[in-house]
Amino acid sequence: MNSSESGSSRFAELIKELGVPLDAELLGLALTHRSYAYEHGQIPHNERLEFLGDSVLGINVTDYLYRHFPDYAEGRLAKLRAAVVSSVSLAEVARSLGIGQLVKLGHGELTTGGRDKTSILADTTEALIGAIYMTDPSGAAKFVHHIFDPLVDRAVKMGAGLDWKTSLQEIAAAMESDPPEYRISETGPDHDKRFTAVALVDGRTFDPGMGHNKKQAEQHAAENAFRVLDAEVNGAEQPD
């Protein structure tokens, strides 16, 4: 991996830790957004690799679901897969791996916060999976399973709605409490806002959740509240 492209991101470190080969030319292509390509003489960009990576991601997540949850009906498997491979989920993976700092963007995208846009992060993550697959198909499977199998396991625990707000609503109902409410605050300029949410259940508040939009912040706040209440109601262990 070219050091100028890999930077010091967690993505580069993970590729090295897993021993997954990644062709430098394909890496560069995977990180080239169409906005950058258009500003530099219509050079190739990452959308074909994104198309490939989408399929590679889907088949590997499907394989894990099919093998590990033999009692689940097709409908539930489909919902779990949709949650795990959603743009929101892929963008969260990208943020955790520092992929945004690596993407080559055009001036317009750079000035409007493109490095943290959910759609760009999700598409680039799929393109990188495609690039790994083109370098070594088995390496792509290894990479996808390492990242996404834990997300499947987490989604299984999140209730019928497959999101933390629904899970929190369910446990509040089980406690015979009123539906959860959320207090939202925001900071930062219009092109780079940060939102903070606090969940309220039965007059109690919990650790805040933060995100780049209201929905994301509410989800994180709901997760914090759910984990506390689930531990109290069901004796579940809270993470360190």
Side-chain angles (χ1 to χ4, degrees), residues 179-194:
E181 297 179 3
Y182 298 88
R183 292 176 181 167
I184 308 291
S185 60
E186 60 183 70
T187 59
D190 288 342
H191 70 276
D192 190 27
K193 283 191 177 298
R194 296 293 187 272

Side-chain angles (χ1 to χ4, degrees), residues 51-68 77 81-82 84-85 126 129-130 133 137-138 140-142 144-145 148-149 152:
F51 169 77
L52 175 62
D54 176 70
S55 294
V56 174
L57 174 63
I59 189 60
N60 281 285
V61 170
T62 301
D63 177 81
Y64 182 78
L65 283 163
Y66 186 87
R67 294 178 187 276
H68 288 80
L77 293 174
R81 180 178 61 193
V84 171
V85 304
E126 289 181 333
I129 292 170
Y133 179 85
S138 63
K142 186 176 184 180
V144 169
H145 284 298
F148 290 91
D149 289 0
V152 172

Side-chain angles (χ1 to χ4, degrees), residues 42-53:
Q42 303 285 346
I43 63 174
H45 52 74
N46 64 9
E47 289 184 359
R48 281 173 52 85
L49 282 175
E50 173 200 335
F51 169 77
L52 175 62

Side-chain angles (χ1 to χ4, degrees), residues 176-240:
E176 300 184 350
S177 301
D178 291 333
E181 297 179 3
Y182 298 88
R183 292 176 181 167
I184 308 291
S185 60
E186 60 183 70
T187 59
D190 288 342
H191 70 276
D192 190 27
K193 283 191 177 298
R194 296 293 187 272
F195 294 84
T196 300
V198 175
L200 293 84
V201 180
D202 248 0
R204 296 174 62 184
T205 59
F206 303 85
D207 288 344
M210 288 165 281
H212 300 272
N213 54 57
K214 291 180 181 179
K215 182 177 179 180
Q216 190 180 89
E218 287 178 349
Q219 285 288 342
H220 290 314
E223 177 182 1
N224 293 337
F226 175 84
R227 291 190 182 279
V228 172
L229 295 176
D230 190 43
E232 293 176 359
V233 173
N234 300 314
E237 292 186 4
Q238 296 188 59
D240 295 333

Side-chain angles (χ1 to χ4, degrees), residues 95-164:
R95 291 184 182 104
S96 72
L97 296 178
I99 288 172
Q101 72 190 53
L102 307 178
V103 186
K104 300 174 184 176
L105 296 171
H107 178 73
E109 290 290 356
L110 283 172
T111 57
T112 56
R115 292 199 185 280
D116 196 56
K117 283 187 180 177
T118 293
S119 59
I120 290 176
L121 291 175
D123 292 347
T124 305
T125 301
E126 289 181 333
L128 287 166
I129 292 170
I132 297 170
Y133 179 85
M134 288 298 295
T135 306
D136 176 28
S138 63
K142 186 176 184 180
F143 178 81
V144 169
H145 284 298
H146 179 84
I147 295 293
F148 290 91
D149 289 0
L151 299 185
V152 172
D153 295 338
R154 187 180 76 170
V156 168
K157 301 174 183 178
M158 288 172 63
L162 300 181
D163 67 80
W164 291 113

